């Protein structure tokens, strides 16, 4: 075999080996990423139940049973919602794998309505917005559990 042909064949083999190693590294990263997503969904699924319970309590407070610490309670619920939204955004491909379980646009529209109601500082408006977003967080928890099953 001529030296040039040998170098071309050898170079091609090296290129294939490099590509194979690169693909193996990418597969490992993707497997690690999937495992991290599963772990995040496990934590969120457990956390979600408490968030839903507290959202229902908050709705009652905003519907006429306001307490001295309701504003702090609103903030803690919003923080919890934001955390769940972050997890949802980071796991959306896994959550919707095989079928759409979460429609991000609908979900976000209801979250924006909550933000608008909070900015308006209107308890009735906030109660309605939290009531309307509650099913989306219920569905998020159900979707997480379904994916984990």
């Amino acid at each position: 075999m001529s030296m040039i042909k040998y170098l071309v064949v050898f170079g091609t083999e090296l290129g294939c080996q490099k590509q194979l190693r690169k693909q193996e590294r990418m597969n490992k990263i993707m497997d690690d990423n999937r495992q991290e997503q599963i772990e995040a969904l496990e934590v969120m699924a457990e956390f979600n139940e408490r968030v839903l319970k507290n959202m229902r309590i908050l709705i009652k407070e905003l519907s006429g049973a306001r307490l001295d610490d309701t504003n702090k309670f609103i903030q803690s619920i919003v923080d919890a919602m934001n955390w769940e939204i972050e997890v949802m955004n980071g796991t959306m491909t896994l959550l919707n794998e095989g079928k759409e379980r979460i429609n991000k646009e609908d979900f976000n529209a209801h979250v924006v309505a909550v933000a608008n109601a909070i900015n308006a500082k209107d308890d009735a408006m906030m109660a309605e917005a939290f009531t309307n977003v509650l099913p989306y967080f219920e569905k998020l928890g159900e979707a997480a559990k379904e994916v984990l099953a």
Side-chain angles (χ1 to χ4, degrees), residues 15 45 49 63 80 82 89 96-97 99-100 105 115 117 121 123:
E49 292 175 22
S63 298
N82 284 332
N89 287 335
N96 284 340
E97 191 174 78
K99 68 177 183 178
E100 184 180 71
E105 290 76 26
K121 298 182 190 267
D123 283 3

Side-chain angles (χ1 to χ4, degrees), residues 21-84:
R21 283 193 302 272
K22 184 177 180 182
Q23 185 61 44
E24 287 170 351
R25 284 194 306 269
M26 288 302 297
N27 287 343
K28 170 99 171 84
I29 290 169
M30 289 172 62
D31 287 344
D32 290 348
N33 186 35
R34 184 177 180 84
Q35 186 57 41
E36 287 176 4
Q37 288 182 9
I38 289 169
E39 290 170 8
L41 285 178
E42 288 171 343
V43 173
M44 187 191 66
E46 184 178 318
F47 185 72
N48 179 265
E49 292 175 22
R50 291 189 298 262
V51 172
L52 295 173
K53 176 184 170 203
N54 286 324
M55 285 175 77
R56 289 181 185 100
I57 293 168
L58 178 61
I59 291 166
K60 286 179 187 174
E61 287 187 23
L62 293 170
S63 298
R66 184 178 256 280
L67 302 174
D68 292 340
D69 67 344
T70 298
N71 286 339
K72 288 181 183 178
F73 195 36
I74 292 169
Q75 186 58 54
S76 68
I77 297 294
V78 167
D79 291 343
M81 289 170 56
N82 284 332
W83 182 81
E84 288 200 11

